[in-house]
């Protein structure tokens, strides 16, 4: 019973573990559930190899001649595989997304402006510098819900809005993550909260997920991700500055185009990853 309870995890917990791993072999990306096909294939391939090559060779040295010896050795190797899985999980833990715990809320501020900003707040840990197209993440202690007013100041070398001060309100919720986006789509810098709560859970089917926050002038209505012969488009709404989280059907590196303009960045999406892409453009540059 103990063996089968562990063995059957290859179709459950081990597959879930694989969603947190990078399955790229360079020339091919293995999806998490595809590894389940390997076990029956290895059985078909290895049985004749063991019967006609490995066991006869070991038998000459009086090693693993009896069936009971082979079963015991196989059990030990199986136990090592479970220990290896536990070690891999231990190494993966630091890479997992931080999910807000009870009595804790999470705020992520994304800077969609073309310059650096400084942010301050009356709440603990909600202060700091945010580079252009960068982000600041903070976890704060709270019970229930609480609003926090954030004061933002652009850098003195900002070409559009030097030393401009503006504010925004973040509505934090216990055990939830929310985002605030700094943009200038209205002609002046603003800080607006992205509706809803952020989804931090990785996909169980292996596809990466992508959300786009955009501050575009002039506006382009379509973002296209291109990888070799694969392409996928994401529609942008002129009356908004964000898209919902969308599955991307391939992994790896992509080139991006906004309309007929190529975006000057390399986007790389890993298996089951959850990503936010921040876009900024004006009449002079696309970033």
């Amino acid at each position: 019973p103990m063996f089968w309870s562990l063995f059957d995890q290859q179709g459950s917990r081990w597959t879930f573990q694989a969603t947190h791993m990078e399955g790229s072999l360079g020339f091919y990306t293995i999806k998490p559930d595809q590894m389940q096909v390997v076990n029956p294939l290895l059985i078909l391939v290895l049985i004749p190899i063991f019967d006609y090559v490995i066991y006869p060779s070991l038998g000459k040295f009086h090693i693993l001649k009896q069936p009971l010896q082979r079963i015991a050795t196989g059990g030990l190797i199986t136990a090592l595989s479970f220990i290896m899985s536990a070690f891999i999980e231990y190494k993966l833990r630091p890479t997992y997304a931080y999910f807000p715990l009870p009595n804790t809320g999470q705020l992520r501020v994304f800077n969609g402006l073309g310059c650096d900003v400084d942010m301050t707040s009356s709440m603990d840990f909600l202060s700091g510098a945010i580079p252009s197209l960068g982000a600041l993440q903070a976890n704060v202690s709270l019970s229930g819900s609480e609003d926090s007013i954030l004061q933002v100041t652009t850098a003195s070398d900002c070409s559009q809005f030097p030393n401009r001060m503006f504010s925004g309100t973040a509505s934090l919720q216990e055990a939830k993550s929310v985002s605030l986006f700094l943009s200038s789509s209205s002609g002046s810098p603003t800080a607006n909260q992205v509706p809803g709560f952020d989804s931090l859970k990785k996909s169980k089917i292996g596809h990466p997920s992508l959300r786009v926050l955009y501050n575009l002038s002039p506006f382009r209505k379509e973002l296209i991700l291109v990888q070799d012969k694969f392409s996928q488009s994401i529609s942008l709404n002129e009356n908004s500055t964000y898209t919902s989280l969308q599955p991307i059907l391939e992994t790896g590196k992509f080139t991006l185009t906004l309309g007929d303009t190529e975006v000057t960045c390399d986007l790389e999406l890993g298996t089951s990853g959850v990503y936010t892409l921040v876009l900024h453009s004006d009449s002079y540059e696309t970033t």
Side-chain angles (χ1 to χ4, degrees), residues 47-57:
I47 283 179
I49 293 176
F50 271 80
D51 277 348
Y52 293 104
V53 179
I54 295 179
Y55 285 146
S57 299

XYZ file of all heavy atoms in Angstrom, residues 47-57:
94
model
N 12.702 -3.480 -20.358
C 12.545 -4.910 -20.040
C 13.471 -5.783 -20.891
O 14.225 -6.611 -20.348
C 11.072 -5.341 -20.184
C 10.275 -4.848 -18.975
C 10.962 -6.863 -20.288
C 8.802 -5.199 -19.021
N 13.472 -5.660 -22.216
C 14.421 -6.494 -22.987
C 15.881 -6.145 -22.722
O 16.745 -7.030 -22.750
C 14.033 -6.214 -24.441
C 13.286 -4.927 -24.418
C 12.593 -4.880 -23.102
N 16.161 -4.872 -22.444
C 17.552 -4.484 -22.166
C 18.038 -5.140 -20.878
O 19.158 -5.666 -20.802
C 17.672 -2.950 -22.082
C 17.405 -2.330 -23.456
C 19.053 -2.538 -21.577
C 17.418 -0.819 -23.462
N 17.183 -5.140 -19.837
C 17.572 -5.760 -18.575
C 17.663 -7.282 -18.715
O 18.575 -7.910 -18.167
C 16.568 -5.388 -17.473
C 16.920 -4.125 -16.743
C 16.644 -2.885 -17.288
C 17.544 -4.178 -15.508
C 16.969 -1.721 -16.620
C 17.882 -3.021 -14.828
C 17.599 -1.782 -15.384
N 16.703 -7.885 -19.435
C 16.677 -9.348 -19.549
C 17.840 -9.899 -20.371
O 18.387 -10.968 -20.051
C 15.358 -9.801 -20.176
C 14.245 -9.884 -19.147
O 14.556 -9.821 -17.939
O 13.068 -10.000 -19.548
N 18.229 -9.180 -21.405
C 19.229 -9.723 -22.328
C 20.618 -9.097 -22.186
O 21.584 -9.643 -22.725
C 18.747 -9.547 -23.772
C 17.531 -10.379 -24.089
C 16.279 -9.782 -24.176
C 17.626 -11.752 -24.278
C 15.150 -10.535 -24.455
C 16.500 -12.518 -24.561
C 15.267 -11.903 -24.640
O 14.151 -12.661 -24.912
N 20.716 -7.976 -21.477
C 22.019 -7.308 -21.384
C 22.452 -7.109 -19.930
O 23.490 -7.637 -19.499
C 21.996 -5.944 -22.118
C 23.357 -5.250 -21.983
C 21.632 -6.123 -23.578
N 21.666 -6.358 -19.161
C 22.113 -5.933 -17.829
C 22.169 -7.101 -16.848
O 23.202 -7.344 -16.208
C 21.201 -4.807 -17.301
C 21.343 -3.567 -18.188
C 21.565 -4.466 -15.850
C 20.473 -2.404 -17.780
N 21.069 -7.863 -16.706
C 21.069 -8.961 -15.732
C 22.081 -10.059 -16.085
O 22.786 -10.557 -15.191
C 19.666 -9.550 -15.597
C 18.725 -8.674 -14.793
C 17.369 -8.609 -15.098
C 19.194 -7.924 -13.719
C 16.509 -7.813 -14.366
C 18.339 -7.115 -12.979
C 16.999 -7.064 -13.306
O 16.149 -6.277 -12.580
N 22.196 -10.479 -17.354
C 23.242 -11.465 -17.665
C 24.653 -10.956 -17.372
O 25.512 -11.721 -16.906
C 23.049 -11.719 -19.165
C 21.608 -11.422 -19.412
C 21.296 -10.266 -18.509
N 24.885 -9.659 -17.624
C 26.215 -9.104 -17.351
C 26.494 -9.075 -15.854
O 27.599 -9.428 -15.409
C 26.323 -7.693 -17.931
O 26.141 -7.709 -19.333
